[in-house]
Amino acid sequence: MDFTVALAQIKPKLGCLADNLAVMEAAVARGIEEKAGLVLFPELALTGYFLKDLVPEVALSLDSPEIARLKELSRHIAIAVGFVEVSPDYRFFNAALYLEGGDIRHLHRKVYLPTYGLFDEQRYLAQGERFRAFDTRFGRMGLLVCEDIWHLSAPYILAMDGATTLLCLSSSPGRGLSAEESLGSTAAWQKLTATTAMFLNCRVLYCNRVGYEDGVNFWGGSEVVDPSGAVIARGRTFEEDFVLAVIDEGALRRERIFSPMMRDENLFITMKELRRIERERDC
Amino acid sequence: MDSRVNTKLLRKVLVGFIREEVEKVGLRKGVLGLSGGIDSALVAFLAAEALGPENVYACIMPYRTSNPESEAHALLVAEQLGLNYRVIEITSMVDAYFELFPEADQMRRGNKMARERMTVLYDHSAAFSALVLGTSNKTELLLGYGTLYGDMASALNPIGDIYKSHVWQLSQEMGVPEVVIRKKPSADLWAGQTDEQELGFTYREVDELLYHMVDLRFSRAELVAKGFAPAFIDLIYGKVQNSHFKRRLPVIAKVSNRTIDRDFRYSRDWGK
């Protein structure tokens, strides 16, 4: 079905759950007003990104009042949001929820925690262990958190699992200044979202944050990419924005007729070869 | 190194940095030392754009041996931008101290001047509720060509990740007066001193090397293959290594389970 998506390109305050929740409530209200069916927030939108030792202090269990509030809001508009989840056995995850109709439809725990360069996620966070597509009122979707989408297998698995819409929540630090028009990180991401959409005949809904934390900028540029890889809406760079786009079901149908790569994708060959590689690696 | 960078984009990121990091702590103002040189002139331009010139306090702090041209250039920048500024001569404070130590060499005197200026800036920070803006560029920081707790001290440094070569470019973009851009960089501790003469190489040469060594992580063999002289590589590597203490907080002896900055880790923007 056709629906309107909103990308809430916000500027979370580091470690301030109540403030960030208030910003989200305002964005949700705006989404409802604009008749959007789904609103996306960035990775760790409830908490901010460079949390370090704050992780346990800002972590929420799935039965926390904050999550209950977001569930409540999702009666009016579906919500995808990033936060820190604490599990009953006290592991802390960089997690994302897809909420709809007052319920949690899907929980994704970030699998690929970058720990290199300016990143240090594995020091503070536990690794997620699955990629699963899930059904929503807008069709089957997959949910990824930032670095996840840099691993080809992640969106591939979700697409093979039937997802036709990939949601990617991000807190991407801007870096790599050169003579080019964009920062290196911006250019790389734009290439990545378009290529992922094109390879997998999926829409990619990318929501990135803005603002600065300890001198690191987050560049924004949230985008809606159609299944051909064409960008149909893009947020401003470095500034807060609220990106609205109409998702056209027909565009997905037509793309899958023109370029039926996913139809032809051979799961049997892929599995056979991956099993062989796994076997050979063991020796 | 990309000999040219996108200065419009760089300007946007740095202006946003100053504005957001100042406002985050609940303030609206910045204070900086204007030396008459290009680095502090550039920071003044960035700060004026980020905060409004009326919210930028510039301290011009000559010593009796400073080149009078430096003060003139600092005044030129402050007046062109419409900053709040004041000339605060540090001669009496510095000389009072060295009356006790007349044998002190040039380096001790230079460091004392840099630290005297720092105390003036931090006093203005408290007086005007303004954050101290740093003016050390990436080249200086990597070479350790600055005074610890002197000119290296600040609350926010907008240009600390920018090589001198790019300071020149961004200064053009921002409209820093040509006379400031074109003159030879100098610490201005004594008449006729220039950075490049004292360092023994040019900023362009060392920036090219540092960019490959630090940013691109070329190995020594790769740097030699790229055409850098082995002696120059070793000299610069040594400078970076030996000045590393200047880029770190003081070392704390660990005895507890949670030691500040080692296993007690929070961003500075914690709660901001």
Side-chain angles (χ1 to χ4, degrees), chain A residues 14 50 53 178 180 212 214, chain B residues 13 24 258 267-269 271:
Chain A
L14 189 60
F50 287 106
D53 282 356
S178 67
E180 300 297 316
Y212 292 76
D214 279 21
Chain B
V13 173
K24 236 181 224 210
R258 275 192 101 193
S267 289
R268 204 168 85 165
D269 286 344

Side-chain angles (χ1 to χ4, degrees), chain B residues 26-78:
Chain B
L27 299 179
R28 286 171 29 235
K29 299 174 195 165
V31 57
L32 79 161
L34 257 191
S35 69
I38 190 170
D39 298 303
S40 59
L42 174 58
V43 173
F45 271 76
L46 289 165
E49 188 164 313
L51 307 171
E54 70 282 8
N55 290 317
V56 181
Y57 289 79
C59 298
I60 302 169
M61 299 173 281
Y63 180 71
R64 61 180 160 77
T65 59
S66 301
N67 188 340
E69 202 178 61
S70 302
E71 186 179 327
H73 289 160
L75 288 167
L76 175 70
V77 168

